[in-house]
Amino acid sequence: MGYLGCKASSTPIKANLKLSKDDGELLEDPTMYRGMIGKLLYLTITRPDLSYSINRLRQFLAEPRRPHLIAAQRVLQYLMGSLGQGLYFPSGTDLQLKAFAEVDLPKLSDIQLNLFSDVDWASCQDTKRSIYGFCVFIGESLISWKYKKQATISRSSAEAEYRTMTNATCELT
């Protein structure tokens, strides 16, 4: 692909970038785009900072367009500027379960459970569904995270937040 000498980017995707299935011209050969997204999707196993960007871009695998390819190239530029980053699992930490969401749950035995999440209400331009994310830690180590489009359309941001907290809680049980 020839991106070894590309200029580094400080973020994997532009802020407030709106991608749609109908914007721009179709790629003549979508094979390169599909292969690039597949490889980047595999990389999200150790690079959760890429999850949002890659999951947004993988929604367009059926009919990728020029703006989608440009956004994928920016992810590659971000990777060039952030080599050596990834998950770190230190050996000498306390094992305290943490999860990030917007609700404090009661303390259960020796495991303190804090639940925090984030949702972007009706952010998908094509379906108007909300996009949510959360992460789970043991001690200082990230062990689980998820970024996903909600299965149904929420009528309000409060409903979207409630659905997100429900999904994050299901991950912990």
Side-chain angles (χ1 to χ4, degrees), residues 51-52 55 117-123 129-135 145-152 160-161 163-171:
S51 293
Y52 174 81
N55 282 311
S117 64
D118 192 24
V119 65
D120 193 1
W121 179 53
S123 60
R129 290 189 286 170
S130 302
I131 298 172
Y132 73 94
F134 63 86
C135 55
W145 62 92
K146 183 179 245 179
Y147 159 83
K148 191 173 181 179
K149 193 184 300 184
Q150 289 184 344
T152 58
E161 291 283 352
R163 289 179 190 275
T164 299
M165 288 185 284
T166 302
N167 290 324
T169 302
C170 288
E171 176 74 14

Side-chain angles (χ1 to χ4, degrees), residues 40-155:
L40 290 171
L41 190 59
Y42 180 75
L43 191 58
T44 62
I45 293 170
T46 59
R47 295 288 303 263
D49 55 331
L50 300 176
S51 293
Y52 174 81
S53 305
I54 302 309
N55 282 311
R56 284 290 291 143
L57 294 172
R58 76 180 187 152
Q59 296 177 42
F60 308 107
L61 288 176
E63 293 183 339
R65 297 178 179 268
R66 184 88 178 126
H68 308 143
L69 179 61
I70 292 169
Q73 291 168 341
R74 182 177 173 103
V75 173
L76 295 178
Q77 291 174 322
Y78 172 74
L79 285 172
M80 288 302 297
S82 62
L83 294 174
Q85 288 186 2
L87 294 180
Y88 173 64
F89 297 100
S91 61
T93 62
D94 62 328
L95 293 180
Q96 181 182 22
L97 182 63
K98 298 178 185 177
F100 293 96
E102 294 181 357
V103 172
D104 287 332
L105 297 177
K107 186 172 181 178
L108 305 172
S109 67
D110 291 336
I111 298 175
Q112 182 181 354
L113 183 62
N114 299 312
L115 188 58
F116 298 94
S117 64
D118 192 24
V119 65
D120 193 1
W121 179 53
S123 60
C124 179
Q125 285 191 326
D126 296 321
T127 64
K128 299 301 181 205
R129 290 189 286 170
S130 302
I131 298 172
Y132 73 94
F134 63 86
C135 55
V136 180
F137 289 81
I138 287 184
E140 300 298 317
S141 302
L142 180 65
I143 60 164
S144 179
W145 62 92
K146 183 179 245 179
Y147 159 83
K148 191 173 181 179
K149 193 184 300 184
Q150 289 184 344
T152 58
I153 298 173
S154 298
R155 294 182 184 180

